[in-house]
Amino acid sequence: MTKKHAYITTAIPYVNGLPHIGHAMDYMLADVWARYSRQNGREVRFQAGVDEHGNKIAAKAASQNQTPQEYVDQTHVNFKKMIAELNISVTDFIRTTDAHHVAAVQYIWQKLVEAGYIYKGSYEGWYCQGCEAFVTDKEAADNNGVCPDHQTPYQRLSEENYYFKTSAFSDNIRQAIESNKMRIVPEFRKKEFLELMKDGLKDVSVSRPRKNLSWGVPVPGDDNQVMYVWLDALSNYITVIGYPDRPEEWQSFWPADVQVIGKDILRFHAGIWPAMLMALDLPLPKVLLVHGFINSGGMKMAKSLGNGVGPADIIPDYGAEAFRYYFLRHVPTQDDGDFTWEKFEAAYNGELGNDLGNLVQRVAKMVQSYQAGVIGDAPQSEHDMGPYRQAMESYMFDQAMDEIWLIVRSLNQYIERVQPWQVAKNRDKDPEAESHLSEILAHACGTLLQVSDMLRPFMPQTAEKIHDMFASGVVPSELTPLFPRKYIHTPDPRAPKTESQVK
């Protein structure tokens, strides 16, 4: 029997900035689905990468007295480093300067020309260099001539460009989205996009004159034009798996099962990208999973506000597993979320340290004390996996984690109720106490093994530690706490109170 394939992608960020929590969300959500797919017997390709072309990058390189290539060779490493630190199980990392990608994008361009979907035209309009995008006159007027995301005035540009006939695909794209052939998750984002395209999609500029954009993929057959970001960047999802020259490879994995993106780039992935695929006669991705932004205490995170928090502020002290836990459980998978140090440390110490860490330690110690470390046969846990699977299949990963914690908490309550320590005390008097105790501890170990299986997509290292502790039937003699308590940003409740606090 051939293995089923699964392909998961993440948006490729520009390399001119440092990786931030938004990128981490992309990677972690995609990683959950990749690991879950592997658990269910699928062969997975999982893409990540960086967008290395464009004026912003050329300008940044020039400001550091480097060539653009020298600059991107240095900066793409930051993203690889974050992927490694977060234990993201990526199989394919693409850079848009890769020779194979550049050649493949030029092939795509020629296919679009041959099919009659690219034409030359003049354009005059308002342009934001930060977004690398033109905006309508109405949008420019509504924003008083200033880009709200970059706080820079729009420039008035007039130039000759090549255009891609996105408009030719409006009806087919609308139908694909409405029928869920290309499913946009969550539903409210789907409605949002359908509203945005209700008057049809507009053709998009896919090149810029070389005098205005020198750093990018050259347009085949026209030395005066360079390809513009979206056609180059979006193509990465198929070029990284071997399109067009390795058909056995890319045809095994395309269409993508899940493409994870932030809400700010939905319009490109739900509009331009499917149009490109239709023009190339390729199937559409099955699901676009759209996540929101992360705020800090209800306010937008921004360097200028001094409330920006990145993985580098959290992982060194608390570890990648705690980072993954907080952002995968306490940030809704399909909506905006919030981070504060108070919330984070409460989750770390209460949920990870106490609910899970103490429980694992406690069960292991009881097996050591009462049964010389021997568990015996731990039965398969009886807990219903239905709600967990349903949450996973609906891409509500935060709710799937809530289901895991219901099991963790119910096991804590079970232990408090049956009090194995009391049963152990009665072994001399009660002939059935020994087998009853063995049954209690076997049930606890079996439940923790189920928890470790369910945790595997979210917290793979923690899942592995729990599995190693109980799966062999013998608890190891040395036990290390999973999540030792830490109060770095909030007061330690165990610390002695000062006089002023007592009053």
Side-chain angles (χ1 to χ4, degrees):
M1 189 177 119
T2 53
K3 258 190 166 183
K4 287 189 296 180
H5 292 106
Y7 181 39
I8 296 112
T9 74
T10 57
I12 55 171
Y14 283 122
V15 290
N16 63 324
L18 286 171
H20 55 64
I21 275 184
H23 304 132
M25 285 308 296
D26 258 20
Y27 297 148
M28 290 188 295
L29 294 172
D31 193 47
V32 168
W33 192 251
R35 289 176 184 275
Y36 182 71
S37 300
R38 289 190 194 103
Q39 259 186 317
N40 287 290
R42 303 180 76 186
E43 187 186 328
V44 169
R45 291 282 289 267
F46 173 7
Q47 158 281 3
V50 282
D51 185 350
E52 299 190 330
H53 289 135
N55 278 339
K56 285 192 279 192
I57 284 154
K60 199 76 189 266
S63 75
Q64 301 192 6
N65 293 322
Q66 289 179 303
T67 66
Q69 190 64 54
E70 285 169 340
Y71 175 74
V72 297
D73 284 347
Q74 190 182 303
T75 51
H76 82 276
V77 178
N78 295 323
F79 291 88
K80 280 189 159 173
K81 186 169 170 253
M82 184 207 258
I83 286 166
E85 279 175 353
L86 286 172
N87 193 15
I88 307 295
S89 58
V90 163
T91 60
D92 298 84
F93 187 91
I94 188 166
R95 302 171 58 190
T96 54
T97 54
D98 291 340
H100 176 268
H101 174 77
V102 170
V105 170
Q106 290 180 317
Y107 170 86
I108 288 168
W109 180 281
Q110 283 164 319
K111 288 273 287 185
L112 298 177
V113 170
E114 284 161 23
Y117 292 120
I118 285 185
Y119 63 91
K120 209 167 193 182
S122 287
Y123 186 88
E124 184 168 344
W126 296 105
Y127 180 77
C128 168
Q129 182 160 324
C131 299
E132 298 217 358
F134 285 96
V135 297
T136 61
D137 288 348
K138 183 182 182 310
E139 219 173 320
D142 289 349
N143 293 325
N144 296 320
V146 176
C147 170
D149 291 336
H150 296 95
Q151 298 302 314
T152 52
Y154 296 117
Q155 298 166 278
R156 190 74 182 169
L157 290 184
S158 172
E159 57 188 35
E160 197 175 44
N161 296 335
Y162 285 100
Y163 283 79
F164 173 47
K165 284 188 189 171
T166 328
S167 57
F169 301 95
S170 291
D171 292 343
N172 288 348
I173 290 172
R174 187 182 293 108
Q175 192 184 347
I177 293 170
E178 282 174 346
S179 67
N180 280 341
K181 186 180 170 189
M182 180 177 78
R183 198 171 141 216
I184 297 176
V185 175
E187 185 74 17
F188 73 90
R189 295 274 176 231
K190 167 182 165 177
K191 288 180 178 149
E192 222 172 71
F193 183 73
L194 287 169
E195 176 60 26
L196 189 72
M197 67 168 291
K198 69 175 191 291
D199 300 328
L201 295 167
K202 307 242 180 318
D203 292 353
V204 291
S205 163
V206 285
S207 78
R208 308 261 337 259
R210 186 177 287 281
K211 61 181 175 21
N212 295 338
L213 171 68
S214 59
W215 177 240
V217 179
V219 166
D222 188 340
D223 283 344
N224 296 318
Q225 295 273 326
V226 169
M227 276 187 227
Y228 181 49
V229 57
W230 289 107
L231 197 132
D232 169 15
L234 289 164
S235 302
N236 96 85
Y237 300 126
I238 50 176
T239 67
V240 71
I241 50 169
Y243 183 85
D245 50 322
R246 304 197 299 274
E248 272 189 30
E249 193 183 330
W250 68 262
Q251 284 171 11
S252 299
F253 286 91
W254 190 261
D257 291 74
V258 180
Q259 295 208 257
V260 178
I261 54 170
K263 65 180 181 180
D264 52 333
I265 52 174
L266 172 61
R267 62 163 103 178
F268 306 106
H269 284 78
I272 302 171
W273 179 224
M276 284 169 62
L277 290 165
M278 286 174 175
L280 294 166
D281 204 18
L282 293 174
L284 301 185
K286 295 173 192 171
V287 173
L288 295 179
L289 174 57
V290 189
H291 65 83
F293 291 161
I294 294 170
N295 300 315
S296 179
M299 289 168 68
K300 187 178 173 182
M301 270 197 199
K303 279 182 192 166
S304 54
L305 297 171
N307 67 350
V309 174
D313 301 309
I314 300 169
I315 293 171
D317 288 324
Y318 305 90
E321 295 279 288
F323 182 93
R324 288 174 67 114
Y325 171 79
Y326 182 85
F327 289 100
L328 289 169
R329 183 172 185 209
H330 289 282
V331 169
T333 308
Q334 301 176 11
D335 210 341
D336 291 349
D338 197 75
F339 172 91
T340 64
W341 283 114
E342 288 74 22
K343 285 180 186 171
F344 178 82
E345 281 200 345
Y348 176 87
N349 290 308
E351 294 156 19
L352 289 177
N354 195 39
D355 293 351
L356 180 65
N358 278 358
L359 173 65
V360 169
Q361 194 87 346
R362 201 175 181 192
V363 170
K365 276 186 174 160
M366 286 192 289
V367 174
Q368 282 178 344
S369 303
Y370 306 143
Q371 298 182 168
V374 179
I375 298 163
D377 291 331
Q380 275 302 104
S381 180
E382 299 295 302
H383 290 280
D384 177 18
M385 293 284 281
Y388 169 82
R389 289 198 189 286
Q390 196 180 344
M392 290 299 277
E393 304 289 336
S394 310
Y395 309 102
M396 291 178 172
F397 303 148
D398 54 320
Q399 291 183 19
M401 289 202 91
D402 288 347
E403 291 300 327
I404 301 172
W405 246 254
L406 280 176
I407 297 174
V408 168
R409 291 199 167 131
S410 75
L411 181 55
N412 270 312
Q413 286 161 359
Y414 167 79
I415 288 170
E416 286 303 314
R417 194 174 69 249
V418 297
Q419 300 189 331
W421 49 93
Q422 291 295 353
V423 178
K425 271 185 192 168
N426 294 335
R427 281 181 294 186
D428 295 342
K429 304 172 215 157
D430 180 355
E432 288 180 14
E434 191 80 53
S435 63
H436 182 36
L437 180 61
S438 176
E439 209 174 276
I440 293 168
L441 295 178
H443 166 73
C445 295
T447 303
L448 287 172
L449 283 170
Q450 182 186 11
V451 164
S452 94
D453 271 352
M454 295 166 83
L455 270 182
R456 207 166 279 274
F458 301 94
M459 300 170 70
Q461 290 165 327
T462 304
E464 195 67 29
K465 284 177 185 170
I466 297 171
H467 181 268
D468 289 351
M469 210 174 279
F470 300 108
S472 73
V474 180
V475 170
S477 53
E478 287 205 24
L479 302 174
T480 315
L482 291 178
F483 297 99
R485 286 178 177 268
K486 287 180 184 180
Y487 293 94
I488 298 170
H489 296 270
T490 59
D492 185 342
R494 300 162 304 176
K497 288 186 164 52
T498 61
E499 270 184 52
S500 59
Q501 285 172 317
V502 174
K503 287 172 195 169

